Amino acid sequence: SQKIEQNSEALNIQEGKTATLTCNYTNYSPAYLQWYRQDPGRGPVFLLLIRENEKEKRKERLKVTFDTTLKQSLFHITASQPADSATYLCALRTGGGNKLTFGTGTQLKVEL
Amino acid sequence: DAGVIQSPRHEVTEMGQEVTLRCKPISGHDYLFWYRQTMMRGLELLIYFNNNVPIDDSGMPEDRFSAKMPNASFSTLKIQPSEPRDSAVYFCASSLEGSDNSPLHFGNGTRLTVT
């Protein structure tokens, strides 16, 4: 079956450390992948888009990698802060058209 | 830019009642998406529109669900009759272009509780 999997368990890290979140997918060959952040009671907010021909993309303290051979994207937050605590979702286009399918998300908690 | 506006923020209704959720997309955005989020199933796409025309409604659970977009600035998602299993947070999102080039901008959702 077609799946987009993210770590189901919450990730707890200490402030200042690098957080690494994983997004694995099967049976898709996406041309791009997106990452979103969701805070409680709010809608997801777009963070980064990476295309299949871009192995790595950075934005401030965020870095995303995309390995189409492994069918995996890694999302890194360097020098993490308590304000980074949220749920992070990956998303990719599945099938034709503009249908964007989301992973289940990973909850990140950055502790002092 | 006010962002995507959804109403109501919370809706509590009894089983069998009709529920209408409303969405105002960002002005100028050509695409509008309705998603549903639950703990068990995560964020699921129900339907999306391009230039007010429904393109893919394969995610709509059953005939009790219907969505319309009468003009570029307004969309509704209707559930009739509602059932307890419809309880979820319903999100509307819009994008400027197709998802290849353009991220989705989400509203803050409508939390629906059906008792």
Side-chain angles (χ1 to χ4, degrees):
Chain A
S1 63
Q2 298 174 326
K3 289 182 181 178
I4 304 171
E5 295 182 329
Q6 297 184 249
N7 298 5
S8 57
E9 292 184 11
L11 178 62
N12 295 333
I13 65 167
Q14 208 169 18
E15 182 180 20
K17 302 292 186 184
T18 297
T20 298
L21 286 68
T22 305
C23 176
N24 294 297
Y25 58 92
T26 58
N27 296 334
Y28 298 123
S29 295
Y32 63 91
L33 189 144
Q34 301 184 20
W35 282 89
Y36 289 76
R37 168 185 172 142
Q38 186 174 22
D39 291 285
R42 308 295 293 270
V45 174
F46 172 76
L47 296 174
L48 281 167
L49 180 153
I50 185 166
R51 302 185 189 285
E52 61 179 341
N53 61 350
E54 298 174 313
K55 298 303 179 188
E56 179 180 299
K57 198 157 190 179
R58 293 175 185 262
K59 179 182 176 182
E60 298 173 351
R61 295 184 295 110
L62 308 181
K63 184 179 84 170
V64 172
T65 63
F66 192 14
D67 189 325
T68 55
T69 301
L70 291 178
K71 293 187 180 290
Q72 179 181 78
S73 175
L74 298 179
F75 178 83
H76 307 271
I77 306 175
T78 58
S80 60
Q81 305 166 0
D84 296 326
S85 299
T87 295
Y88 292 86
L89 302 139
C90 64
L92 50 91
R93 191 176 67 176
T94 57
N98 291 284
K99 181 176 180 177
L100 197 65
T101 300
F102 284 80
T104 50
T106 298
Q107 186 177 5
L108 172 68
K109 185 174 181 180
V110 181
E111 299 167 333
L112 292 170
Chain B
D1 184 351
V4 174
I5 300 172
Q6 292 187 246
S7 63
R9 284 282 279 148
H10 301 275
E11 177 80 43
V12 180
T13 191
E14 292 183 347
M15 182 173 63
Q17 296 299 307
E18 177 180 295
V19 175
T20 299
L21 311 182
R22 297 174 174 79
C23 175
K24 177 179 169 56
I26 293 173
S27 177
H29 281 195
D30 290 337
Y31 288 81
L32 184 139
F33 303 79
W34 282 100
Y35 282 85
R36 176 172 70 175
Q37 188 173 42
T38 61
M39 288 294 292
M40 290 297 295
R41 301 175 67 89
L43 202 56
E44 302 174 282
L45 178 65
L46 300 177
I47 185 171
Y48 79 90
F49 296 81
N50 177 210
N51 291 324
N52 312 339
V53 176
I55 303 301
D56 185 340
D57 65 355
S58 60
M60 295 286 263
E62 48 196 273
D63 292 345
R64 297 185 297 106
F65 286 67
S66 62
K68 294 182 180 180
M69 192 165 186
N71 57 61
S73 59
F74 184 65
S75 177
T76 60
L77 178 67
K78 185 176 292 187
I79 308 173
Q80 165 65 16
S82 58
E83 297 182 3
R85 60 189 167 129
D86 301 331
S87 297
V89 181
Y90 291 80
F91 288 104
C92 175
S94 68
S95 67
L96 188 59
E97 301 172 350
S99 52
D100 272 9
N101 293 316
S102 187
L104 268 59
H105 297 259
F106 283 81
N108 283 325
T110 294
R111 180 175 294 277
L112 173 65
T113 304
V114 183
T115 60

